[in-house]
Amino acid sequence: MYLFISPWLIGFIIFALYPILSSLYYSFTDYDIIHPPKYVGLANYQEMFHSELFWKSVTVTLRYTFISVPIMLLLSLGFAMLLNQKIPFRGFFRTAMYFPSMVSGVAMSLLWYWIFNPQIGLFNYMLSWFGIAGPAWLMNPGSALYALIIMSLWTAGTGMILFLAGLQGVPSSLVEAAKLDGAGRFRIFLNVTLPMISPILLFQFIMGVIDSFQVFTQAFVMTQGGPNYSTWFYVYNLYTSAFKEYRAGYSSALAWVLLVVVMLFTALIMKFSNRYVHYEGGGRR
């Protein structure tokens, strides 16, 4: 048996377990990749929590998370409910909604970089139809982060597919029973549909939070963390420390703090989900 799993086991140890443990060790060292690491204890962590750029990256990332994740969930659920109806060309619209999610992050960023162009961009051109003078989206500290949030909504198709699968799993007998009791559409959605798809909602919420904590490509391609650090995301700060300043020890410490924060947020969400998430055949957990 061990002979059959040895290729995976060797690959896991070399390409996953060893780098993880190495980064933990490097987080307690002063390591610039070229010279041997020097043990410095908690110095990297102390420096991190006294760094203005660290707290700036935390603030930017949390703002992005608190705004983009709820909007993404509502948008995905709304599209799923719309495309769950019997409408013409339903299959085409489902495919069209999901297709942008298949575009690579770099290609999507380059496309939206043109869309947000203040002079020839499509977004400001559409705003001009309503007499609105669009801002210089990616060049203005007040609008750059919101431009990236708008761009992130383009991938709502992924969540839409998952919600659509959940909506199609809602028993029609429960919906019919609610109608016989005189419940309207809103009541049916609130008391029947939403509880039945709550596990999918929980999954999407957790994955949305984790993904938003790891935003990097958009900032790297479109803004380089600017203007004026308005898109200085946590992972971009980590990347800058590792590959521009060659501070592998400090960046490893940043990575481990991110891991701990993601674990804490996930545990917190799971703890408070017990009274709201319903599982088929098991009620709430």
Side-chain angles (χ1 to χ4, degrees):
M1 181 183 69
Y2 292 106
L3 180 63
F4 287 109
I5 67 172
S6 60
W8 176 88
L9 192 61
I10 294 172
F12 172 75
I13 293 174
I14 295 176
F15 298 109
L17 185 60
Y18 174 72
I20 290 173
L21 297 179
S22 296
S23 70
L24 179 61
Y25 166 70
Y26 290 143
S27 70
F28 298 103
T29 66
D30 180 12
Y31 182 41
D32 62 0
I33 303 177
I34 300 175
H35 302 92
K38 297 179 181 179
Y39 182 77
V40 293
L42 297 175
N44 287 326
Y45 294 93
Q46 293 174 345
E47 178 185 351
M48 180 194 314
F49 292 118
H50 289 86
S51 170
E52 292 185 7
L53 283 181
F54 168 78
W55 290 112
K56 181 64 177 179
S57 68
V58 170
T59 303
V60 169
T61 303
L62 289 178
R63 283 180 61 194
Y64 180 90
T65 300
F66 289 145
I67 297 174
S68 66
V69 174
I71 296 177
M72 179 69 81
L73 289 175
L74 291 174
L75 198 61
S76 300
L77 180 56
F79 281 124
M81 294 182 66
L82 178 63
L83 295 178
N84 195 41
Q85 307 299 316
K86 295 181 179 180
I87 58 176
F89 305 106
R90 183 172 59 176
F92 168 78
F93 288 118
R94 289 176 179 177
T95 305
M97 275 296 303
Y98 179 71
F99 185 76
S101 302
M102 300 175 63
V103 180
S104 71
V106 174
M108 183 176 68
S109 299
L110 292 174
L111 174 63
W112 279 87
Y113 187 82
W114 170 78
I115 290 175
F116 283 124
N117 187 290
Q119 297 177 337
I120 61 173
L122 181 63
F123 206 87
N124 280 1
Y125 176 69
M126 294 175 64
L127 289 177
S128 67
W129 296 349
F130 305 96
I132 301 174
W137 290 95
L138 300 174
M139 305 172 190
N140 188 338
S143 61
L145 181 62
Y146 298 103
L148 298 187
I149 291 173
I150 293 172
M151 185 185 75
S152 71
L153 303 179
W154 203 46
T155 59
T158 302
M160 181 269 296
I161 292 294
L162 295 175
F163 277 127
L164 190 59
L167 290 171
Q168 293 181 349
V170 176
S172 58
S173 57
L174 295 180
V175 177
E176 293 298 330
K179 289 181 179 179
L180 290 174
D181 287 338
R185 290 186 177 181
F186 180 73
R187 275 293 177 185
I188 293 174
F189 171 76
L190 197 62
N191 296 324
V192 178
T193 305
L194 195 58
M196 293 300 296
I197 66 171
S198 56
I200 296 177
L201 183 62
L202 173 64
F203 171 77
Q204 297 247 60
F205 181 51
I206 292 175
M207 294 305 297
V209 170
I210 294 174
D211 288 344
S212 66
F213 281 176
Q214 301 179 73
V215 171
F216 167 74
T217 305
Q218 301 93 310
F220 177 73
V221 175
M222 301 173 69
T223 63
Q224 294 289 303
N228 195 25
Y229 299 102
S230 59
T231 59
W232 193 264
F233 290 100
Y234 190 95
V235 176
Y236 186 80
N237 185 38
L238 189 156
Y239 163 82
T240 302
S241 300
F243 298 103
K244 290 188 176 181
E245 300 174 359
Y246 299 103
R247 303 186 62 195
Y250 181 73
S251 63
S252 296
L254 286 170
W256 276 92
V257 168
L258 177 61
L259 174 64
V260 172
V261 170
V262 167
M263 292 175 62
L264 289 176
F265 265 83
T266 303
L268 192 64
I269 293 171
M270 291 297 297
K271 178 178 177 60
F272 285 99
S273 70
N274 293 337
R275 61 179 68 177
Y276 301 112
V277 179
H278 297 252
Y279 295 91
E280 187 175 357
R284 297 174 180 176
R285 293 183 182 180

